[in-house]
Amino acid sequence: MALIDEIEIHAQAGRGGDGVVRWRHEKFIDRGGPNGGDGGKGGDIIAEAVRDVFVLADYKAKRKVKAGRGGDGAGWSKTGPNGEDTILKLPVGSTITNLDTGSTYELIEAGDRAKLLSGGNGGHGNEHFKSSTNQAPHRASPGHDGEEGHFKIELSLYADVGLAGFPNAGKSSLLNAVTAAHAKVGSYAFTTLDPNLGDFYGRIIADIPGIIEGASEGKGLGTKFLRHITKTKIIAHLISFEHFITAEAGHEGMMRAYEAIRKELTTYGKGLENKDEVVILTKTDLVDPKIVEKEVKAFKKLKKPVLAVSMYNDAEVKAVSDALIKLLEEMSTGNE
Ligand SMILES: Nc1nc2c(ncn2[C@@H]2O[C@H](COP(=O)(O)OP(=O)(O)OP(=O)(O)O)[C@@H](O)[C@H]2O)c(=O)[nH]1
Ligand SMILES: [Mg+2]
């Protein structure tokens, strides 16, 4: 399932209710005084984080959101009811930018709330305008408009594992092999243009578009996708054995590919460079098993877990899947 990761909406908080002009009409009171109540406050626009990365899709069709209008005041000094707040449910990991003011809000944990816009205050009823010099004011004021604004909502995936690597490394193929995802696979660069997510035994694996050299400075699909792996727990870094056979580059070719992606992660920063990394050498079917063994050994010098896999080898796919489960388990017990 592809993910909508960026939307813009226009939001309008509720207008306050109007104050009203009313007079007391009571038995035995000859000239009733003013008792017109104030208007209720307009509803606020509030963002609330939920653990559902797909909810942004709901706003795709509905680009305008509004909160309720405050009710008008009434006689007997009654304040109008407050307008209803509108709660925008947004995925954990969303960054909200008010494009008009530049302020930003981050939703980090489920249940986090941020008030984006305040509803307008209600107007005053005539009772409010009563003074020693004016005992019978005929004046009431209208409710105030609620705040309005344009917002950009960007989602950084809250995934457990992020698949990173050059285009064509086999990221989407691996996602499909270890989860029930049906990500598009193609023999050309940038088959994946939007992140794909797969459910992996209750954890989420995110398959992002291929990273190219210069991505951290905005080349290719650039930082838009590097951003997505800033919140993952583990980066699975895929390197295809094509880098071994192309121009007979051998181990050098594999290492260069690895270093090039590392460089993008480091240049981008935001913690990407220090994340736990598992190295997955892909497309082992393209080379002799002895070469695979040698490369695994060489990459182990990085002191990181190293796996090797061909999509055509069920045992290897299972080994990768088991290793990822184990790493995730170790991490969650380590964090407690
Ligand atoms: N021989 C071989 N080919 C593979 C293997 N895994 C994937 N491929 C092929 O490699 C090509 C790229 O696979 P994808 O899974 O789309 O690669 P990707 O990393 O998601 O690519 P982008 O989305 O463009 O970044 C496809 O033609 C796949 O069929 C493998 O284990 N062995
Ligand atoms: Mg892909």
Side-chain angles (χ1 to χ4, degrees):
M1 189 163 185
L3 184 86
I4 291 173
D5 60 353
E6 200 173 299
I7 54 163
E8 279 187 27
I9 56 168
H10 175 261
Q12 167 87 60
R15 184 185 155 86
D18 296 337
V20 292
V21 175
R22 296 284 186 279
W23 308 99
R24 249 179 254 147
H25 300 286
E26 282 174 72
K27 263 188 192 166
F28 315 119
I29 293 183
D30 190 20
R31 276 179 55 208
N35 75 350
D38 297 341
K41 194 181 148 301
D44 299 330
I45 302 279
I46 294 168
E48 183 183 286
V50 292
R51 272 201 173 275
D52 176 355
V53 285
F54 298 112
V55 296
L56 280 191
D58 298 349
Y59 301 100
K60 190 95 193 178
K62 189 176 63 176
R63 302 255 170 179
K64 279 181 191 265
V65 294
K66 271 170 140 180
R69 184 185 184 284
D72 294 339
W76 302 98
S77 314
K78 263 201 207 123
T79 301
N82 288 339
E84 216 169 306
D85 294 338
T86 290
I87 313 282
L88 299 180
K89 299 215 188 265
L90 299 173
V92 166
S94 295
T95 303
I96 306 159
T97 308
N98 182 327
L99 296 172
D100 304 319
T101 65
S103 28
T104 61
Y105 312 82
E106 294 246 17
L107 300 178
I108 294 160
E109 291 193 38
D112 280 358
R113 278 185 163 211
K115 193 206 271 191
L116 304 181
L117 297 172
S118 294
N121 285 326
H124 291 303
N126 62 338
E127 187 172 11
H128 176 88
F129 295 101
K130 184 177 157 187
S131 66
S132 53
T133 52
N134 188 354
Q135 293 289 323
H138 282 262
R139 180 175 159 212
S141 60
H144 297 270
D145 282 334
E147 294 176 328
E148 70 180 301
H150 293 86
F151 293 88
K152 178 152 125 187
I153 298 152
E154 294 165 286
L155 174 59
S156 300
L157 293 182
Y158 189 87
D160 299 281
V161 181
L163 303 179
F166 274 111
N168 267 331
K171 301 177 294 297
S172 302
S173 304
L174 182 66
L175 178 81
N176 292 346
V178 300
T179 74
H182 296 285
K184 189 170 164 200
V185 165
S187 58
Y188 49 92
F190 296 118
T191 304
T192 303
L193 293 171
D194 286 308
N196 296 298
L197 298 182
D199 177 67
F200 182 69
Y201 303 100
R203 316 277 192 145
I204 293 174
I205 299 185
D207 162 38
I208 63 166
I211 296 167
I212 58 170
E213 286 174 75
S216 54
E217 281 120 41
K219 281 219 184 96
L221 297 169
T223 53
K224 179 159 160 13
F225 298 114
L226 284 172
R227 182 185 86 216
H228 282 313
I229 46 178
T230 56
K231 292 188 180 160
T232 61
K233 297 194 185 111
I234 300 179
I235 291 181
H237 183 159
L238 276 63
I239 306 140
S240 160
F241 270 102
E242 278 154 319
H243 293 284
F244 191 98
I245 51 183
T246 310
E248 294 175 359
H251 176 65
E252 286 299 302
M254 297 293 280
M255 253 313 153
R256 266 206 301 274
Y258 173 80
E259 297 292 353
I261 298 295
R262 285 303 306 171
K263 186 169 163 238
E264 296 308 319
L265 301 181
T266 309
T267 312
Y268 185 69
K270 304 203 175 154
L272 280 188
E273 68 279 27
N274 300 322
K275 252 177 220 304
D276 280 317
E277 181 185 54
V278 40
V279 175
I280 304 180
L281 309 180
T282 61
K283 310 197 189 182
T284 56
D285 54 283
L286 297 180
V287 294
D288 192 275
K290 283 205 188 91
I291 290 176
V292 175
E293 211 177 299
K294 240 177 111 185
E295 285 306 306
V296 168
K297 227 182 231 162
F299 271 91
K300 280 199 168 145
K301 291 193 186 127
L302 296 168
K303 304 241 174 304
K304 295 184 177 178
V306 182
L307 302 159
V309 67
S310 163
M311 282 314 114
Y312 307 117
N313 185 323
D314 290 346
E316 287 178 357
V317 170
K318 178 153 192 318
V320 166
S321 172
D322 290 348
L324 286 178
I325 293 173
K326 204 168 143 235
L327 279 172
L328 286 166
E329 270 170 9
E330 280 169 12
M331 289 193 60
S332 53
T333 43
N335 289 342
E336 273 157 22

